[in-house]
Amino acid sequence: MARWAKALGLRYIFDEAGASSEEGVACGSWRLENGVWQLGVGDGVVRFADWDGPAEVREALTWTLLALQPGDSERGRHPLAAWYDHCRQLSLHALAEQFSGEAAEGAAMDKGGPELGAFTYPGYFLVLSPLLRRDEASDAWKTARELMLEVMRATLCDVWNKDVADGTQILTYVPAQAFDTAFDDLSLWTSDHPPKHADRTRTVVDHLATAIREEGLIDVAISVSMPVLEQAQLRQAILSLAMASRLHGAQRVGGQRVAVFGDQPMAFLLSAVPESALRTILAMVSARSASNPEEWPNGWMELTRAMMRANLNVSEAARAMYVHRNTLLARIEKVYEETGFDVRVIDHLMVLHLAALAMEQQGAYN
Amino acid sequence: MARVLLEHIYKTYGGASEPTVKDFNLDIQDKEFVVFVGPSGCGKTTTLRMIAGLEDITDGNLYIGERRVNDVAPKDRDIAMVFQNYALYPHMSVYQNMAFGLKLRKVPKAEIDKRVQEAAKILDIAHLLDRKPKALSGGQRQRVALGRAIVREPQVFLMDEPLSNLDAKLRVQMRAEIRKLHQRLQTTMIYVTHDQTEAMTMGDRICVMRDGIIQQADTPQVVYSQPRNMFVAGFIGSPAMNFIRGEIVADGGKFYFRAPSISLELPEGRHALLKNSGIVGQPVVLGVRPEDLHNEEVFMETYPDTVINAQVEVVEHMGAEVYLHCSVGSNTIIARVNARYPYQVGSNVKLAVDLNKIHIFNAETEESIGFATAGSKQEVTV
């Protein structure tokens, strides 16, 4: 802070929570009061006198003060919440770099205090973000937060939780045992295959998102970390949580977004490919048909997805798309005529699938 | 209880060049049961979510009752939503599950008890109130999920494919249950499904959608018997309507539908319509439902000019009836015929077309020319 103050010529005062202000400022939030910018820092407020800092500078200041000190619990910030705040600011590439190198450094989080050792392992970190409408009242977050926690308790019993810095997400830790119990009690599994651990977690998290939506008419995005098997994995798990959260965009279904770290290797791979390489991939695919994928028949992506999910079984894909088998066959022929790829052939289907993913990723770049 | 009015509603997602829902206009009357039906991606769920307030409305006006609710938060719209994956809480009893939402809304305990008991009675689950979800069957769980919505006493119920997770038998049972529930509660209900049978059997009115546009909104009977276009005609009905491409030919004061291996003289009662619609000499699509193809002797003897020759390719035994998949020239058609006759793959059959029930669509626009609604004197009882 002192270096910032010197660099920008700032004058600041730190007020402990409740010391002077009637109403606190949420941790990580800025408020302009009587011409004075105030930053909530969890255990109090920092006031900046005679300074009208632009939004970008205030944002940078926020992260410097709050997020780059993951071990700093002296200010009342929980080290895991602060570490997550820090991770959220990193690029996907930087997250991956840290993630792959983190295992060796895992012990660093051990210094965070006795609370970290109190977690039951294995378990998962979850981050819940309500998808509030632009015009919703300012108390909407507070209402949503209470509701999300109540529903979590009703589904999974008591869970560890902390608000993250900008006050729009809740970071939680849930023992795997709680997922297993909820899964068994609700008999949610409909597949013939015995559920894997990841299936159980994923299914219960989907259920949780539905419960929040039904109970409060609130869409919620939920990201889930890798399984945490021991205390030494806490930092790495938070990194995986940040990565899952970053890859959320493509997962949206009916307003419900659940992203589990292990579910997204393809999305991660595509996001790691430079835009120029994506363009080249699309050029290579379209060379076969001598037309741009934008000009291909409507619904080729849906058809590709359906055939992938149906393991190339046309009847199964037709059922999933609610069309007659003959109609689907006619569409397959049309796509073949226009693109040169036959989705009944696995090599062709994989190329079209890759093209669809590349186009989605390109959309994300744009 | 409330009327729901959608006026010129549009929804465009950020970054999309085309709206997902386009110029949606529908006046849903108080206590009406309306079903939105259409294939995946047609915009039905998006429209429902706009009514709920889960999606912003890009353009247009939405009224619930007398109030314009475009900018009203979902929780303040006085609606309840039931989803495909209904949510129950594993550690709570049925009573607590139903009371949970009211408790969150700080409704007094006595009032909660009154509403839960009433809803349980309506849904016939009063004897299950002490049970945990684990001890309930699929149908009982679905009833509890409905109960959770009922206790909120909303003005409007929104249901997003609530039966999709149930097995076929239970789905049929729950269809009737929800219909009865609507009659009992006398509340406006808007129901989304991709299943045309569900739509036909449940709705006072059904609203068929495609590509974000209403194709037709009317009673199930009208949508079935007078589809406005080929999409509606093909989507509603199982097996789907047969479509045969051909043209309308005028010959000696008569009109014929002609296609390879098919020539049908069209009823006199429709001549004026054919002349006025300007499609004579133009390519058209003839639509005929599988049940309007007859193999009964009496029908064929009465209307010998309507008989077409077909070859059986597949025989599907459905119990009381049989679906014959036949080839007629280069076309494949399905006839739904009586199971008492023997049918053999590869054999030739004669099928008479009930010309009173056929549909004619403009091949280019795919719109109906109104053939099925125009009068005709042809009648037959078999």
Side-chain angles (χ1 to χ4, degrees):
Chain A
M1 183 63 219
R3 270 184 280 169
W4 270 95
K6 195 175 172 188
L8 297 174
L10 295 177
R11 290 189 299 122
Y12 66 94
I13 303 163
F14 175 66
D15 273 357
E16 278 190 60
S20 58
S21 174
E22 321 68 44
E23 193 187 335
V25 181
C27 186
S29 298
W30 286 86
R31 186 165 69 191
L32 185 62
E33 197 173 274
N34 301 324
V36 177
W37 278 111
Q38 305 176 16
L39 170 66
V41 288
D43 52 351
V45 172
V46 181
R47 297 170 195 281
F48 297 88
D50 305 316
W51 179 63
D52 189 14
E56 310 83 70
V57 178
R58 278 187 276 120
E59 192 183 5
L61 194 52
T62 308
W63 297 120
T64 307
L65 288 176
L66 296 172
L68 291 183
Q69 302 170 35
D72 183 6
S73 54
E74 290 162 14
R75 289 181 181 279
R77 304 266 314 125
H78 191 279
L80 287 174
W83 175 237
Y84 178 69
D85 288 335
H86 166 64
C87 292
R88 286 173 72 202
Q89 304 310 309
L90 300 178
S91 68
L92 203 52
H93 183 71
L95 282 168
E97 284 274 317
Q98 289 221 22
F99 180 81
S100 57
E102 191 58 44
E105 298 170 24
M109 191 57 88
D110 288 358
K111 296 170 194 161
E115 196 185 339
L116 295 178
F119 286 151
T120 304
Y121 301 102
Y124 296 86
F125 283 108
L126 273 67
V127 71
L128 289 83
S129 326
L131 306 172
L132 301 172
R133 284 160 28 125
R134 289 192 302 273
D135 55 354
E136 287 205 52
S138 54
D139 65 348
W141 153 251
K142 202 177 150 204
T143 311
R145 183 186 176 281
E146 279 170 20
L147 182 114
M148 289 192 301
L149 287 173
E150 285 293 341
V151 170
M152 277 200 92
R153 285 182 198 120
T155 309
L156 298 161
C157 297
D158 263 346
V159 292
W160 176 93
N161 71 85
K162 294 282 172 210
D163 288 357
V164 301
D166 66 354
T168 57
Q169 296 186 331
I170 309 174
L171 177 68
T172 68
Y173 182 85
V174 182
Q177 180 63 42
F179 282 121
D180 288 344
T181 307
F183 182 88
D184 291 338
D185 284 349
L186 288 166
S187 313
L188 294 168
W189 195 241
T190 50
S191 165
D192 293 335
H193 304 292
K196 301 280 180 207
H197 231 313
D199 296 325
R200 291 167 167 264
T201 306
R202 167 86 203 207
T203 307
V204 176
V205 173
D206 277 336
H207 181 85
L208 187 65
T210 302
I212 292 167
R213 194 158 53 136
E214 189 180 306
E215 210 65 72
L217 288 167
I218 296 167
D219 283 332
V220 61
I222 304 180
S223 305
V224 183
S225 74
M226 62 185 247
V228 193
L229 304 176
E230 54 180 342
Q231 190 175 343
Q233 288 183 318
L234 289 172
R235 279 168 64 96
Q236 195 185 22
I238 293 279
L239 281 161
S240 74
L241 181 68
M243 276 195 266
S245 178
R246 192 67 57 79
L247 293 168
H248 239 151
Q251 309 288 320
R252 184 170 179 154
V253 180
Q256 183 167 311
R257 297 197 288 179
V258 171
V260 180
F261 176 68
D263 286 356
Q264 306 158 300
M266 289 292 278
F268 176 75
L269 189 66
L270 263 292
S271 67
V273 175
E275 198 182 349
S276 56
L278 280 183
R279 276 201 300 270
T280 309
I281 289 171
L282 287 171
M284 290 166 86
V285 174
S286 58
R288 192 181 178 100
S289 63
S291 64
N292 288 324
E294 285 86 2
E295 295 160 9
W296 287 355
N298 283 340
W300 71 268
M301 284 197 205
E302 187 196 358
L303 175 64
T304 302
R305 267 195 295 271
M307 287 295 282
M308 287 289 284
R309 285 179 188 151
N311 284 328
L312 282 86
N313 182 328
V314 175
S315 301
E316 190 65 34
R319 261 194 296 279
M321 293 173 75
Y322 311 114
V323 297
H324 193 278
R325 189 173 182 277
N326 289 346
T327 309
L328 190 64
L329 284 170
R331 285 189 200 171
I332 289 172
E333 284 299 326
K334 176 118 176 133
V335 167
Y336 177 62
E337 276 170 30
E338 299 286 330
T339 67
F341 292 101
D342 185 341
V343 293
R344 289 165 294 193
V345 178
I346 184 68
D347 288 353
H348 289 198
L349 181 63
M350 283 172 67
V351 173
L352 283 184
H353 185 54
L354 179 68
L357 291 174
M359 285 182 75
E360 276 174 14
Q361 184 58 35
Q362 210 177 33
Y365 281 136
N366 296 336
Chain B
M1 310 308 148
R3 168 191 184 200
V4 178
L5 177 62
L6 298 105
E7 280 184 345
H8 305 291
I9 297 283
Y10 284 82
K11 174 68 190 178
T12 307
Y13 286 103
S17 54
E18 279 284 302
T20 303
V21 175
K22 298 165 206 161
D23 199 18
F24 192 104
N25 290 286
L26 194 65
D27 188 352
I28 300 168
Q29 296 302 310
D30 183 23
K31 300 174 190 169
E32 197 177 10
F33 194 131
V34 169
V35 181
F36 294 168
V37 65
S40 300
C42 71
K44 55 189 188 298
T45 293
T46 302
T47 307
L48 194 77
R49 287 171 52 80
M50 283 193 282
I51 297 171
L54 291 168
E55 299 282 355
D56 287 318
I57 294 170
T58 309
D59 202 3
N61 297 308
L62 171 66
Y63 296 88
I64 297 180
E66 298 303 312
R67 187 166 63 136
R68 184 179 182 274
V69 295
N70 289 45
D71 304 318
V72 175
K75 65 181 173 55
D76 300 324
R77 293 190 182 194
D78 202 4
I79 53 165
M81 237 177 143
V82 180
F83 298 96
Q84 177 180 341
N85 300 312
Y86 46 87
L88 299 182
Y89 303 115
H91 318 298
M92 294 182 176
S93 66
V94 168
Y95 183 98
Q96 289 167 325
N97 261 285
M98 287 168 71
F100 184 77
L102 299 180
K103 223 170 125 188
L104 287 182
R105 288 171 181 79
K106 314 261 188 293
V107 175
K109 216 170 167 183
E111 177 66 17
I112 292 177
D113 188 59
K114 183 176 149 258
R115 289 196 203 177
V116 170
Q117 297 292 354
E118 271 176 17
K121 207 170 143 193
I122 290 171
L123 293 161
D124 198 19
I125 52 172
H127 60 296
L128 304 174
L129 286 175
D130 292 331
R131 288 200 197 167
K132 296 269 174 71
K134 195 176 185 175
L136 302 177
S137 68
Q140 288 168 336
R141 286 170 178 224
Q142 181 62 270
R143 284 203 192 94
V144 176
L146 287 171
R148 283 159 48 87
I150 291 170
V151 294
R152 288 180 211 161
E153 300 184 349
Q155 286 195 83
V156 182
F157 281 95
L158 305 178
M159 301 193 183
D160 191 0
E161 310 229 14
L163 306 184
S164 297
N165 270 3
L166 304 181
D167 62 51
K169 199 174 163 191
L170 196 53
R171 208 156 54 223
V172 172
Q173 188 190 327
M174 285 306 294
R175 270 193 335 229
E177 298 269 349
I178 291 177
R179 197 77 187 101
K180 273 193 264 176
L181 184 68
H182 173 250
Q183 282 158 7
R184 192 155 178 183
L185 294 174
Q186 292 287 301
T187 311
T188 311
M189 283 191 184
I190 306 174
Y191 188 104
V192 160
T193 181
H194 62 268
D195 182 336
Q196 54 92 20
T197 311
E198 223 166 88
M200 291 290 285
T201 52
M202 296 177 79
D204 294 328
R205 253 195 313 162
I206 63 179
C207 175
V208 186
M209 294 180 69
R210 181 173 67 159
D211 297 337
I213 298 170
I214 296 180
Q215 303 293 309
Q216 190 166 4
D218 216 318
T219 61
Q221 294 76 12
V222 171
V223 171
Y224 187 78
S225 58
Q226 297 163 31
R228 196 175 284 168
N229 56 38
M230 278 179 69
F231 173 76
V232 176
F235 189 79
I236 299 291
S238 179
M241 184 183 282
N242 297 297
F243 293 123
I244 302 167
R245 289 188 177 267
E247 63 175 336
I248 303 292
V249 176
D251 189 355
K254 294 179 176 176
F255 291 95
Y256 298 86
F257 168 79
R258 288 205 177 129
S261 307
I262 299 173
S263 178
L264 295 169
E265 184 188 334
L266 300 174
E268 212 177 306
R270 262 74 160 201
H271 284 189
L273 172 75
L274 291 168
K275 280 180 199 159
N276 295 337
S277 60
I279 57 154
V280 177
Q282 300 295 317
V284 296
V285 176
L286 174 91
V288 56
R289 293 210 179 271
E291 65 269 29
D292 296 325
L293 290 165
H294 296 266
N295 64 340
E296 302 91 346
E297 294 290 328
V298 61
F299 199 105
M300 287 193 278
E301 281 166 14
T302 313
Y303 299 104
D305 295 342
T306 70
V307 174
I308 56 176
N309 295 307
Q311 188 174 37
V312 178
E313 289 184 335
V314 177
V315 179
E316 274 188 281
H317 292 278
M318 307 302 291
E321 58 199 11
V322 170
Y323 297 163
L324 293 181
H325 296 244
C326 306
S327 61
V328 181
S330 57
N331 291 290
T332 302
I333 59 170
I334 298 177
R336 187 176 182 167
V337 293
N338 200 302
R340 67 171 175 257
Y341 299 102
Y343 306 98
Q344 292 217 319
V345 173
S347 64
N348 292 320
V349 288
K350 289 185 184 303
L351 296 167
V353 180
D354 185 346
L355 294 177
N356 272 328
K357 306 278 180 63
I358 62 169
H359 305 263
I360 291 177
F361 303 95
N362 182 315
E364 197 179 324
T365 64
E366 300 194 350
E367 294 293 314
S368 167
I369 65 162
F371 198 85
T373 53
S376 169
K377 288 172 188 165
Q378 185 192 13
E379 273 180 19
V380 69
T381 307
V382 290

XYZ file of all heavy atoms in Angstrom, chain B residues 24 85 93 122 149 228 236 297 365 368:
79
model
N -43.070 -12.527 -30.892
C -43.941 -13.509 -30.248
C -45.165 -12.784 -29.694
O -45.048 -11.921 -28.820
C -43.160 -14.205 -29.124
C -43.832 -15.423 -28.560
C -43.390 -16.691 -28.890
C -44.907 -15.314 -27.687
C -43.992 -17.818 -28.363
C -45.516 -16.426 -27.161
C -45.064 -17.685 -27.490
N -35.878 -31.511 -13.976
C -35.162 -32.115 -12.855
C -35.641 -31.447 -11.570
O -35.034 -30.513 -11.095
C -33.657 -31.885 -13.002
C -33.140 -32.506 -14.271
O -33.437 -33.646 -14.563
N -32.412 -31.727 -15.049
N -38.254 -34.281 5.357
C -39.470 -35.049 5.077
C -40.241 -34.359 3.949
O -39.920 -33.221 3.569
C -40.347 -35.107 6.329
O -40.807 -33.802 6.619
N -54.794 -32.245 -2.160
C -55.055 -32.133 -3.607
C -54.250 -33.185 -4.385
O -54.734 -33.814 -5.313
C -54.685 -30.714 -4.118
C -55.679 -29.689 -3.586
C -54.627 -30.661 -5.635
C -55.277 -28.248 -3.843
N -44.651 -26.231 -5.613
C -45.093 -25.073 -6.415
C -46.489 -24.621 -5.968
O -46.752 -23.422 -5.858
C -45.097 -25.444 -7.889
N -51.375 -25.092 -40.344
C -51.182 -23.911 -41.191
C -50.058 -24.105 -42.208
O -50.033 -23.459 -43.248
C -50.861 -22.721 -40.282
C -51.019 -21.400 -40.953
C -50.810 -20.291 -39.972
N -51.945 -20.110 -39.090
C -51.923 -19.364 -37.995
N -50.812 -18.768 -37.627
N -52.995 -19.210 -37.261
N -46.961 -32.337 -35.668
C -48.076 -32.816 -34.850
C -48.659 -34.076 -35.487
O -49.022 -34.067 -36.663
C -49.174 -31.721 -34.724
C -48.612 -30.461 -34.056
C -50.393 -32.251 -33.978
C -48.253 -30.589 -32.602
N -62.676 -52.489 -47.695
C -63.344 -52.733 -48.964
C -64.406 -51.675 -49.252
O -64.476 -51.115 -50.342
C -64.026 -54.116 -48.948
C -63.048 -55.279 -48.877
C -62.271 -55.430 -50.174
O -62.828 -55.115 -51.229
O -61.091 -55.828 -50.107
N -43.555 -22.082 -50.494
C -43.694 -21.408 -49.186
C -43.978 -22.405 -48.061
O -43.850 -22.063 -46.895
C -44.853 -20.395 -49.210
O -46.085 -21.122 -49.426
C -44.685 -19.379 -50.324
N -50.117 -23.908 -46.042
C -51.325 -24.610 -46.482
C -52.180 -23.656 -47.321
O -52.225 -22.450 -47.054
C -52.119 -25.055 -45.250
O -53.405 -25.455 -45.638
